[in-house]
Each structure stands twice: as structure tokens, then as C-alpha cells.
Amino acid sequence: MKLKLLITALLLSTYSMAGTIKIAVAANVSYAIDDLKKEFNKLYPDTKVIVTLGSSGKLTAQIKNGAPYQLFMSANMKYPKALYKDKTAVTKPIIYAQGAIALLSNKAQDFTKGIKLLKDKKISKIAIANPKTAPYGKAAVEAMKNAGVYNDVKKKFVYAESISQTVSYTVTATDIGVIAKSSLYSPKMAEFKKGINWGEVDPKLYTPINQGIVILKEGEKNAEVAAFYNFILSEKAKKIFEDFGYIVP
């Protein structure tokens, strides 16, 4: 299937495409998606890409309930695999990037403590994405449990619906947050300094966040959807993901 999509995109690359495609994108990719769209539109300037952002779980629920998305970029592999299994997705899930979590605070903190910093008495509110629907929230809980701090800090949680909302809560309403590392590479986050306002969470504490992409039934015979899919797996897109702190396959 992947080979067929690549051939299709190559054959059509010499033709003008002027349609609109609708894609569902995990919230952690919100910081990179504009750059990805810009690069894609250099190749296909007449293709309009409409993006809907949200937690992977909620986007999956929308897809299962008939939302007309044509392509899905999830924050993990669980949801794309489920959609492929029930034939809502028509391509086998492929990893397009691997994400990481980090701690962020408006105030200077001692990030040498790692995730045990969350136990600090000065920290009364911790922003975290809902682990039931957001893979990054699930990774945050897993890291806390493996570090032995979860039971001590769970009463401090302020839950957000997505990882982008978690960032918003972190900078406006809580003392600290467990966020997607990718958000820290946005120009809007330049004021936050590593080691002062943010620090990485030891990746050994949580399962690698493999992010998966699939073409959905709505986009099965759409050449522009195939072109965008192939672009996300291209070297140009990989460079953008790397610039936003992701690891790429």
C-alpha cells in the first residue's frame, strides 16, 4: 500500500492539485504543524490543508462517529491500530515521530531533581493531560509511578483535555506542568529557559511515545491525501520534526 501511495504521489506531482484535505492531528503536533503545512504547500501550493487538533482519544471517537477526516496523525500507535483493525483506516499505522515529555514552570525550579521535583511543597498544582484520552498524559502518569511519586502528587493534578491545553494551564494557572517536549521549540516559548523553567523527564521512566499516521476511509482515493501522507514520511518533514524536539525513525 505504501509503495502504491508513493507511486501515486509521484505520478501526480507534475499535475496541478487544487483541492481541500481534512486531517485530524494530535495536539502535541500543533507546534510543528504550521511549518509542516508551509513546506508541503511549497510542493503543492494549491492544496488547502484543514487541521483539527485535539487529544488522540477524542479525535478517534470523532472518527468512529463519522467525522469526515481523511488522515489521522495520532500521538501514539494504539488509536491508529484500532482504526485499522476495524477498517476505518485503510493504511497500516506507521510511526512518523517519537515524542518526549518535559516539566515546565513559569517560575525558576530545581530541575536537577527530575520528576521528584513534583513532590516539592511549594508546588500545589500540576497540569497534566487527561491520561484516559491523551497519550502524553498517560506517559506522564507512567513516569510518576515508575519514579515512585505518583501517590504523593496525584492530589495536585489539574487535568487538561489535550497536551496543548496542558501547556496553557501550565503557564497561566498551575505551578508546573508535564508537557510535550515539542512545545518548547515553538518561538512563542522562547522565554522559557532549559534548566530554569523546564527540564526533561528521564525517558527511561516511560514507554517511548511512538506517534502513528494512517489514511482514513474518507481519504482512500484522494491523491492529495496520499501526497500529504507521503510528505509526512519524507526527509523534509523529518527535519521539521527534529527541529521541534522529536526523534524520527
Side-chain angles (χ1 to χ4, degrees), residues 14-234:
T14 56
Y15 295 88
S16 175
M17 293 197 284
T20 297
I21 61 175
K22 298 178 180 179
I23 64 175
V25 178
N28 76 87
V29 188
S30 64
Y31 309 96
I33 195 64
D34 284 344
D35 285 8
L36 290 166
K37 285 172 59 179
K38 286 177 184 176
E39 194 64 34
F40 174 74
N41 282 138
K42 288 179 182 178
L43 301 171
Y44 304 99
D46 297 320
T47 300
K48 184 177 181 181
V49 182
I50 297 177
V51 175
T52 298
L53 297 164
S55 69
S56 295
K58 289 202 168 185
L59 290 171
T60 298
Q62 291 173 14
I63 291 165
K64 287 186 175 182
N65 286 316
Y69 305 129
Q70 297 164 303
L71 184 144
F72 179 33
M73 295 174 64
S74 175
N76 69 0
M77 293 293 281
K78 171 187 171 182
Y79 294 115
K81 284 180 178 178
L83 293 172
Y84 182 68
K85 186 176 181 180
D86 69 16
K87 298 183 180 179
T88 305
V90 296
T91 56
K92 200 169 184 178
I94 291 178
I95 298 169
Y96 63 90
Q98 189 178 83
I101 55 175
L103 300 175
L104 172 69
S105 177
N106 259 328
K107 301 175 182 178
Q109 303 284 357
D110 182 7
F111 288 100
T112 62
K113 295 179 180 178
I115 204 163
K116 291 186 178 180
L117 170 62
L118 300 179
K119 293 176 65 175
D120 196 305
K121 293 180 180 178
K122 294 179 182 178
I123 293 175
S124 61
K125 293 181 180 180
I126 302 168
I128 179 175
N130 185 346
K132 294 181 180 179
T133 58
Y136 278 75
K138 182 179 179 181
V141 168
E142 182 184 6
M144 291 179 214
K145 287 182 176 179
N146 286 334
V149 303
Y150 178 75
N151 289 331
D152 295 318
V153 303
K154 62 182 180 180
K155 60 183 178 294
K156 302 180 182 182
F157 291 168
V158 176
Y159 290 104
E161 289 190 3
S162 66
I163 201 66
S164 57
Q165 191 177 69
T166 307
V167 174
S168 178
Y169 285 2
T170 299
V171 299
T172 61
T174 65
D175 302 302
I176 200 167
V178 188
I179 65 164
K181 183 183 174 184
S182 58
S183 65
L184 296 163
Y185 292 80
S186 166
K188 296 178 182 178
M189 304 291 283
E191 65 184 279
F192 299 105
K193 305 302 180 184
K194 186 175 183 179
I196 299 174
N197 301 111
W198 70 272
E200 296 181 33
V201 174
D202 185 350
K204 295 178 182 177
L205 292 173
Y206 58 95
T207 304
I209 306 172
N210 293 326
Q211 307 200 179
I213 184 172
V214 285
I215 291 178
L216 303 170
K217 194 177 294 183
E218 285 279 337
E220 184 174 11
K221 297 180 180 180
N222 188 307
E224 287 165 295
V225 172
F228 191 84
Y229 174 92
N230 288 324
F231 168 75
I232 292 299
L233 299 176
S234 72

